[in-house]
Amino acid sequence: MIPAKFDYIKASSVSEAISLLDKHGDDAKLLSGGHSLIPAMKLRLSRPEILIDISGISGMNSITADGNEIVIGANCTHADIVNSDLINSDLNILAQTAKHIGDIQVRNRGTIGGSLAHADPAADYPAVVLACDAKIEVEGKSGKRTIPATEFFLGIFTTAIAEDEIITAIRFPKVANGNYQKFFQSASRFAVVGVAAVKEGDAVKVGVTGVAGTPYRATAVENAYSGNSDAASHAVDGMEDELMSDHFADEEYRAHLAKVMVKKALEA
């Protein structure tokens, strides 16, 4: 299908992109990898009058170490993450996660910042940013701020980003012991259930995606964990009223899958 008519502007800096967002308001959409926006435009589910292309902004496609953190520019593609020696060495759980996303064409174009901003309830990255206690750096006309991952996702396709703000980078602590497990839709490879688990000493942190409209930290699992995978039975505790149901999986099946995938992640 052919999208509705729109104007295209390629921003050369974050400040220019912010200024354009402020000027055009709801009529504008940001374009980075485009793997969520372009299909929606072709189906005319989204009809922006202006596309602001931020994919070429300098400094938003780097992967660097900053003390005990890994800083990933928002324009880094999934393939950049998969192929990064630094991430494979010091944040391997993120490389595991990126390998699960789509196919090679999607991984070559889709970006981590675009995925997080879109906040699809079946996306992979939300689970890992939650389990790793990552921080999302954003910038808008009021300046820069950092949003903890645990405060970032507010609902289906809804985040804590203001209308004039742009994700510029994501900060992850270095993680030595983490695992991502996913039960995916065979056609799209989106997560029916995705689970990220990070072990620190005798404790674990667990992020879950695909189960509810909002990705969540499975704190009931974390609190029940005592060195084995039995805590997986608490994977949906407190989320019973939020479980999603669709033609891929109903609520009961998703709850069962969540427990299975949490158990696999803990055991791994």
Side-chain angles (χ1 to χ4, degrees):
M1 301 179 82
I2 300 173
K5 182 180 177 181
F6 62 89
D7 290 329
Y8 170 89
I9 305 173
K10 190 171 182 65
S12 60
S13 66
V14 173
S15 59
E16 182 186 4
I18 292 169
S19 177
L20 288 167
L21 277 177
D22 185 41
K23 177 181 178 180
H24 297 288
D26 293 340
D27 293 332
K29 288 285 187 181
L30 295 175
L31 175 68
S32 182
H35 269 276
S36 300
L37 178 59
I38 298 302
M41 289 175 63
K42 287 183 175 181
L43 293 171
R44 301 205 175 193
L45 298 173
S46 180
R47 301 181 64 165
E49 295 183 9
I50 297 169
L51 286 188
I52 303 169
D53 188 347
I54 62 172
S55 63
I57 294 178
S58 175
M60 285 181 59
N61 59 354
S62 61
I63 299 173
T64 59
D66 183 10
N68 289 322
E69 293 183 318
I70 305 296
V71 185
I72 302 171
N75 281 337
C76 285
T77 66
H78 315 314
D80 290 334
I81 291 168
V82 170
N83 295 320
S84 166
D85 291 338
L86 181 59
I87 289 178
N88 277 280
S89 172
D90 294 339
L91 188 58
N92 184 259
I93 186 174
L94 187 63
Q96 294 175 39
T97 305
K99 289 176 183 176
H100 281 277
I101 297 174
D103 53 26
I104 191 167
Q105 291 92 339
V106 170
R107 292 192 290 273
N108 282 339
R109 287 295 301 171
T111 64
I112 185 170
S115 177
L116 291 173
H118 187 53
D120 192 304
D124 294 285
Y125 286 132
V128 72
V129 297
L130 287 168
C132 291
D133 275 330
K135 294 173 286 186
I136 293 91
E137 295 185 343
V138 302
E139 186 172 347
K141 63 182 181 181
S142 298
K144 300 178 182 179
R145 66 186 180 115
T146 299
I147 308 172
T150 51
E151 300 174 12
F152 184 77
F153 302 103
L154 304 181
I156 296 177
F157 304 116
T158 307
T159 72
I161 306 172
E163 290 184 358
D164 69 316
E165 288 182 326
I166 296 171
I167 299 177
T168 56
I170 303 93
R171 285 184 172 267
F172 287 86
K174 294 180 179 179
V175 173
N177 192 358
N179 184 261
Y180 183 67
Q181 295 286 330
K182 176 181 178 180
F183 187 94
F184 58 86
Q185 304 168 12
S186 58
S188 70
R189 299 189 68 84
F190 273 104
V192 177
V193 174
V195 174
V198 170
K199 191 170 187 293
E200 295 179 345
D202 295 328
V204 293
K205 292 183 288 188
V206 179
V208 180
T209 190
V211 174
T214 307
Y216 63 95
R217 276 280 292 272
T219 53
V221 173
E222 297 171 1
N223 293 335
Y225 182 75
S226 59
N228 56 55
S229 61
D230 293 345
S233 62
H234 300 281
V236 295
D237 286 11
M239 300 300 297
E240 292 85 355
D241 294 335
E242 308 296 329
L243 300 180
M244 292 196 298
S245 179
D246 54 30
H247 59 290
F248 295 108
D250 62 16
E251 295 177 7
E252 182 180 1
Y253 187 44
R254 267 194 166 84
H256 168 72
L257 276 179
K259 296 171 186 178
V260 171
M261 303 314 286
V262 169
K263 182 175 182 178
K264 286 186 173 184
L266 293 177
E267 290 175 347

